[in-house]
Amino acid sequence: MNRVSWDEYFLQIAGKVASRATCDRLHVGAVIVKNKNILSTGYNGSISGAPHCDDVGHLMLDEHCVRTVHAEANAIVQAARNGVCVEGATIYATFLPCWNCFKLIINAGIKRIVYGKEYRSDKKTVSHAKMVGVELVDFSMK
């Protein structure tokens, strides 16, 4: 058996984190890593204390479920709540981050995004990654 790369390892962990997601439209997981150490994880689910999609259904707006907080945002929030600096880290996400999550990732100081596959192609995310100097790694091609 071949040993998996670090990127594959952390992306597999993100996949396991996604199994906790509570919106059945798409289970997404994210892991923030620095120096090969996991700093934080997140999955898509409702805001703290609110009912989950899996329990009460979706809250749809413009073909998107807005009941949930995205996995990437939850990972960043969990790091912040625990006083963990994510500056210079890598985020591993099971799917290409949406535009709103991408903006949070950039402003949190994360410098590398590794994702498993595209959910909806977001050209803004791809073009702006180059513009702001963030490495974007499409792992679906590996």
Side-chain angles (χ1 to χ4, degrees):
M1 179 175 181
N2 290 334
R3 190 172 187 198
V4 298
S5 69
W6 285 108
D7 284 345
E8 187 174 0
Y9 173 72
F10 290 120
L11 205 50
Q12 287 175 358
I13 293 172
K16 192 52 119 176
V17 171
S19 70
R20 291 279 308 150
T22 61
C23 181
D24 62 7
R25 286 177 50 88
L26 187 67
H27 287 199
V28 180
V31 178
I32 301 175
V33 175
K34 190 172 184 178
N35 299 324
K36 299 178 185 158
N37 290 296
I38 295 173
L39 303 178
S40 181
T41 65
Y43 54 86
N44 56 322
S46 295
I47 60 174
S48 295
H52 297 287
C53 295
D54 289 354
D55 299 327
V56 297
H58 303 288
L59 181 57
M60 300 299 292
L61 179 65
D62 297 327
E63 299 182 28
H64 296 280
C65 180
V66 295
R67 183 179 306 283
T68 63
V69 177
H70 289 190
E72 302 90 338
N74 269 327
I76 292 168
V77 167
Q78 289 306 312
R81 287 182 69 162
N82 290 300
V84 176
C85 178
V86 298
E87 180 110 24
T90 295
I91 189 165
Y92 293 86
T94 53
F95 290 87
L96 174 67
C98 71
W99 176 240
N100 285 326
C101 286
F102 176 78
K103 293 185 290 185
L104 293 173
I105 290 165
I106 299 313
N107 280 2
I110 294 170
K111 296 297 182 192
R112 189 167 179 261
I113 302 168
V114 179
Y115 65 96
K117 47 184 123 161
E118 287 188 24
Y119 171 57
R120 293 185 173 138
S121 181
D122 194 331
K123 298 195 185 324
K124 289 186 302 287
T125 297
V126 174
S127 67
H128 279 73
K130 293 175 187 170
M131 180 190 312
V132 298
V134 168
E135 182 183 0
L136 191 61
V137 180
D138 178 355
F139 211 81
S140 67
M141 307 306 275
K142 299 189 187 296

